[in-house]
Amino acid sequence: MTATVVEGKALASALREKVAAAVAAAGIEPTLAVVLAQGEEGAAAYTRSLAKAGGKVGLRVDVHEREPRVEEAASLLAELNADPSVHGIILQTPFAGREGDAELAELIALAKDVDGQSSASLGLVWAGRPRFVPSTAAAAIHLLEANGVEFVGAEATVVGRSPVVGKPAAALLVARHATVTICHTRTRDLAAACRRADILVAAAGAPELIKGEMIKPGAAVIDCGYNFTEDGRVVGDVAFEEAAEVASLLTPAQGGVGPVTTALLLMHVARAAGAEIAA
Ligand code: NAP
């Protein structure tokens, strides 16, 4: 193995300590409202873990579970936007299918959009004036920065163009002066685009799509993918064992980007409530 396998746990723990200290110093109780579609066990489990992690750093996480209907979610979002005791809001879908859910995300007030789910938030990220960056994209960049990866002039490839991971990750890389290629299902030669990357961010949701032979020797590889195999294992978008033979830095599917994502989301909530936390 040539790659340094970068676990997110230590970084996440350092971020949570910062949040806890800032919240205690400010004497506030930052509150996150989670709008959760009923019957989504995966989202419910994530929400429980968020509430537990939040509790440890002085944050309150209120879960508002509703029937998966647009009207239910829309009226709740209006209430939460107007409620001064709520500092951050996240929408855990599906309420209305892909398009409908995207429309619902537009209803989150910009100042409370702590996971950057609305197009207004994403627009600010591309404009280079981010308010809240989607936490998974922010985590990918944070892991690269924390490990001293050089962005300026680097070739970076992002696999995936979703508004929550691929697009904001690409915007953050451009802002750091990397030259960025964004790939998706219509990309003609994914292997070639990956192979020229000094920095490769995988966010496709496609199990082990990126093989070792598609990775440039010495590349820094961040795997945002979190996929379940038929036999119940969790794998990333990158074939881990093969990639570890080629890359210089690699995150595992479990315990890599995930813990940092959660810690950064909590940090965003604390900031939305007025806590001052240095980058
Ligand atoms: P998504 O909305 O489904 O988007 C996937 C993107 O990847 C799309 O742009 C799609 O292209 C592209 N893609 C899919 N298969 C591809 C292929 N074979 N070749 C090239 N491009 C391909 O997914 P997402 O929400 O961005 O999530 C991506 C992954 O990150 C998932 O595994 C998800 O579980 C994980 N994730 C992890 C965390 C965390 O905290 N660890 C948080 C969020 C997401 P088209 O646009 O052409 O369809």
Side-chain angles (χ1 to χ4, degrees):
M1 188 190 294
T2 64
T4 301
V5 176
V6 173
E7 302 284 347
K9 276 184 196 156
L11 194 53
S13 156
L15 288 167
R16 284 195 306 267
E17 275 173 29
K18 265 189 176 184
V19 175
V23 166
I28 52 178
E29 187 182 39
T31 298
L32 172 68
V34 182
V35 177
L36 175 68
Q38 241 167 37
E40 280 303 310
E41 191 35 49
Y46 172 65
T47 303
R48 284 194 294 275
S49 74
L50 204 54
K52 199 170 152 196
K56 287 185 186 160
V57 295
L59 267 74
R60 204 172 92 199
V61 177
D62 291 338
V63 182
H64 303 265
E65 202 169 345
R66 291 289 186 277
E67 279 179 40
R69 293 209 324 263
V70 174
E71 310 75 44
E72 293 273 351
S75 66
L76 177 57
L77 286 171
E79 268 174 47
L80 296 168
N81 283 338
D83 183 344
S85 72
V86 173
H87 305 102
I89 300 171
I90 60 169
L91 185 62
Q92 288 287 297
T93 56
F95 275 96
R98 213 176 172 95
E99 280 303 306
D101 287 340
E103 289 294 324
L104 274 176
E106 304 297 11
L107 302 178
I108 304 172
L110 189 59
K112 299 189 180 187
D113 187 13
V114 286
D115 207 15
Q117 292 180 283
S118 69
S119 55
S121 290
L122 182 58
L124 286 174
V125 177
W126 275 105
R129 295 186 294 110
R131 181 119 189 202
F132 292 115
V133 175
S135 337
T136 304
I141 302 305
H142 202 75
L143 280 156
L144 291 165
E145 279 175 341
N147 286 281
V149 172
E150 179 61 60
F151 294 97
V152 180
E155 287 285 339
T157 294
V158 178
V159 184
R161 57 175 167 180
S162 79
V164 287
V165 195
K167 280 180 182 153
L172 295 171
L173 288 162
V174 171
R176 284 159 181 74
H177 312 294
T179 301
V180 182
T181 302
I182 304 175
C183 301
H184 43 78
T185 54
R186 315 287 172 91
T187 296
R188 278 199 204 137
D189 193 345
L190 179 66
C194 291
R195 217 175 279 130
R196 67 169 173 265
D198 305 305
I199 298 170
L200 180 60
V201 176
E208 301 181 327
L209 170 71
I210 296 163
K211 313 292 181 206
E213 71 206 22
M214 295 163 70
I215 295 170
K216 180 175 179 177
V221 181
I222 302 292
D223 191 355
C224 301
Y226 196 88
N227 313 293
F228 290 95
T229 60
E230 277 177 11
D231 57 355
R233 284 178 306 122
V234 171
V235 296
D237 291 347
V238 177
F240 184 85
E241 302 295 336
E242 292 177 20
E245 296 297 328
V246 192
S248 64
L249 177 160
L250 176 64
T251 58
Q254 251 175 332
V257 172
V260 182
T261 297
T262 305
L264 284 174
L265 179 59
L266 298 176
M267 183 177 277
H268 294 174
V269 179
R271 282 199 179 124
E276 285 184 22
I277 310 172

